[in-house]
Amino acid sequence: MAETTGSDAATGDAAPRMRKASWKYVGPGIVVAATGVGAGDLVATLIAGSKFGYTLLWAAIIGCLVKISLAEATGRWHLATGRTLFEGWRSLGQWTTWYFAIYVVVWGFVYGATAMSSSALPLVALFPDGPSLKAWAILCGLLGLAFVWFNRYAVFEKAMTIVIGMKFLIVVYVAIRVAPDLGNAFAGLVPALPDGSLLYTLGLIGGVGGTITMAAYGYWVNSKGWTDISWLKVMRLDNRVAYITTGIFVVAMMIIGAELLHSTNIALTSGDRGLIDLGDVLEDKFGAVTANLFLIGFFATSFGALMGVWHGVSLMFADFVERLRRERAGAGAPDAGESAAGPGGGDEMVKEVAAGKREKSVPFRAYLLWLTFPPMGLLFLDQPFGLVVAYGVLGAFFMPFLALTLLWLLNSSRTPKEWRNGMLSNVMLAAAGLLFLVLCVQQVRDLPW
């Protein structure tokens, strides 16, 4: 791909010279890595390591490659078209609006309670004589709300960099502390499927780091000030940093699972509480200091995911509301075949994200409140059966929805020709779409119908 040719999606003029990729620009990738790998992802990887040792390490690596392709496609859409992802979805028809509207309301309601509880669990373990789980959970929700409410993207990114640093250092330290068997670890890079491992394999490839935050990545790219195709090389470096970091987390947790749990046949509680069990195992084997360090890393993982969702999904919701408002004001919805370089004011909306206007908007703050206060009620009640099922179904369908709509958008006239998918991108997005469909069917089958 030539550096100095192409079309500017917003103006139709010759594209500006590509900016040189540099580590000094890295930022949105750090945010997506801190947000996308939550406590549940760490437990899933840990359990895979405890059941199969290093055998599925290859699947974790492939999973990171799949996520690099998906996030690159999301970022490339924003930069090449001058439009946000929701604008792209809107051009595919009204059905995308209905899906996203239901998803973001139901998912946000249940996720809010989940994120607050997950952040509170390690605090209860660290301070057993302190407040209750519910009190810590409410405090975490309020802290996340206050931080995102009063700070713009630049400060948010710096905070997430601290979070990722804590996660990285602590998880890697624990992995080194358990003394990995490097011979078996390298052997795990050779694809193999032990009996009963298929679903764990698919989960490792598709699950870790794969949430709505992948869709939010394009919004963080714009918030950083990257608004046109000249930033493409920078974005690609940033994205690789995100998922290489994610890969290191996954490998470290598989090492911990293989060395501490697989060799001694120790089973963990499912869900986030499995990390509390691991803290107990670490304390027995290495002492309280290592165990407490791990719990601090657990808190950084959970609270980082909370802050990332509070910011990124609120940005998406604000864009969703603003798009509908402008259509009702007379701009009209984009036609199904409309080129991204055509009319519709996409470039203006992207620049509003870059200027931080969305972070000050009423819809952004309204969704922040929705993520924080209504879910507190779920902390005191068992989650209603129907809500659990709706949350599970909508969540299962989101990743195939993202992969397949990106495949559609980036192979159509909505994307300038020179920035459409090549063969590799199409293969990776199609494979991701198929993988996520299989996982979707399995997740729906496993719901408590």
Side-chain angles (χ1 to χ4, degrees):
M1 194 177 291
E3 292 192 7
T4 57
T5 62
S7 299
D8 186 316
T11 66
D13 297 331
R17 181 180 296 272
M18 291 289 182
R19 298 171 192 265
K20 184 178 179 180
S22 172
W23 292 98
K24 69 180 182 181
Y25 292 124
V26 168
I30 295 296
V31 173
V32 81
T35 305
V37 182
D41 297 313
L42 295 186
V43 172
T45 309
L46 193 65
I47 290 176
S50 71
K51 287 182 177 292
F52 303 104
Y54 293 102
T55 309
L56 300 182
L57 193 58
W58 63 273
I61 304 301
I62 290 178
C64 289
L65 296 177
V66 169
K67 305 311 185 324
I68 286 173
S69 299
L70 272 170
E72 188 276 340
T74 303
R76 177 157 45 94
W77 165 266
H78 278 247
L79 297 180
T81 66
R83 292 178 182 272
T84 63
L85 186 56
F86 181 73
E87 290 179 86
W89 286 339
R90 189 79 173 107
S91 74
L92 300 178
Q94 292 265 3
W95 66 275
T96 59
T97 301
W98 284 106
Y99 172 78
F100 184 76
I102 297 170
Y103 174 84
V104 80
V105 171
V106 176
W107 180 88
F109 183 46
V110 181
Y111 179 83
T114 303
M116 287 186 270
S117 295
S118 179
S119 299
L121 277 170
L123 294 175
V124 171
L126 283 165
F127 306 104
D129 297 325
S132 66
L133 177 69
K134 293 183 179 65
W136 277 122
I138 290 171
L139 179 60
C140 288
L142 293 175
L143 286 174
L145 169 69
F147 181 82
V148 175
W149 187 287
F150 291 109
N151 291 294
R152 301 283 77 82
Y153 175 79
V155 177
F156 167 72
E157 183 187 286
K158 287 181 173 63
M160 295 298 271
T161 302
I162 295 171
V163 166
I164 201 77
M166 291 173 62
K167 288 167 63 173
F168 185 91
L169 292 174
I170 292 171
V171 171
V172 171
Y173 162 76
V174 174
I176 294 171
R177 193 83 165 80
V178 302
D181 183 331
L182 295 180
N184 283 335
F186 282 114
L189 297 176
V190 178
L193 280 175
D195 290 343
S197 68
L198 180 60
L199 290 179
Y200 288 97
T201 303
L202 293 176
L204 278 176
I205 295 174
V208 179
T211 66
I212 193 173
T213 55
M214 295 198 70
Y217 178 64
Y219 290 84
W220 286 323
V221 163
N222 291 154
S223 295
K224 182 73 171 175
W226 306 346
T227 58
D228 59 52
I229 201 63
S230 72
W231 291 97
L232 184 65
K233 284 189 173 184
V234 176
M235 182 275 292
R236 284 174 169 165
L237 173 64
D238 178 78
N239 175 42
R240 288 169 191 145
V241 169
Y243 284 98
I244 289 171
T245 305
T246 299
I248 292 171
F249 287 146
V250 172
V251 169
M253 290 304 287
M254 288 201 75
I255 288 171
I256 295 167
E259 296 296 340
L260 273 188
L261 308 176
H262 179 67
S263 59
T264 53
N265 294 315
I266 296 174
L268 298 182
T269 307
S270 61
D272 296 350
R273 290 184 181 274
L275 294 183
I276 300 296
D277 293 348
L278 179 59
D280 294 337
V281 173
L282 288 169
E283 184 169 5
D284 290 340
K285 193 169 182 65
F286 300 112
V289 172
T290 297
N292 288 339
L293 276 175
F294 178 77
L295 290 172
I296 292 169
F298 177 6
F299 173 73
T301 297
S302 298
F303 192 65
L306 182 152
M307 287 199 303
V309 168
W310 262 230
H311 187 275
V313 184
S314 296
L315 269 182
M316 294 181 69
F317 182 78
D319 183 49
F320 164 74
V321 172
E322 180 62 17
R323 180 70 190 181
L324 295 183
R325 186 191 69 77
R326 293 192 184 192
E327 286 176 13
R328 289 173 182 168
D335 294 333
E338 181 184 297
S339 167
D347 182 58
E348 178 188 348
M349 297 177 78
V350 162
K351 287 180 178 177
E352 287 178 3
V353 175
K357 292 182 179 178
R358 295 290 165 80
E359 295 166 278
K360 303 174 184 177
S361 68
V362 171
F364 180 90
R365 288 178 166 172
Y367 194 73
L368 270 179
L369 296 174
W370 173 253
L371 281 169
T372 306
F373 290 106
M376 288 179 182
L378 294 182
L379 298 173
F380 295 89
L381 301 170
D382 290 333
Q383 295 177 5
F385 177 79
L387 189 60
V388 171
V389 171
Y391 172 76
V393 171
L394 288 167
F397 275 95
F398 184 79
M399 289 304 289
F401 169 78
L402 176 62
L404 296 175
T405 53
L406 282 171
L407 193 64
W408 187 350
L409 290 169
L410 292 167
N411 282 289
S412 71
S413 60
R414 298 169 182 83
T415 304
K417 186 174 182 179
E418 56 271 41
W419 308 119
R420 291 178 197 166
N421 278 357
M423 177 69 74
L424 180 60
S425 293
N426 278 327
V427 168
M428 294 299 288
L429 286 179
L434 179 61
L435 167 69
F436 291 130
L437 281 174
V438 172
L439 286 171
C440 172
V441 171
Q442 185 60 38
Q443 285 178 267
V444 171
R445 287 178 59 189
D446 289 343
L447 286 170
W449 295 98

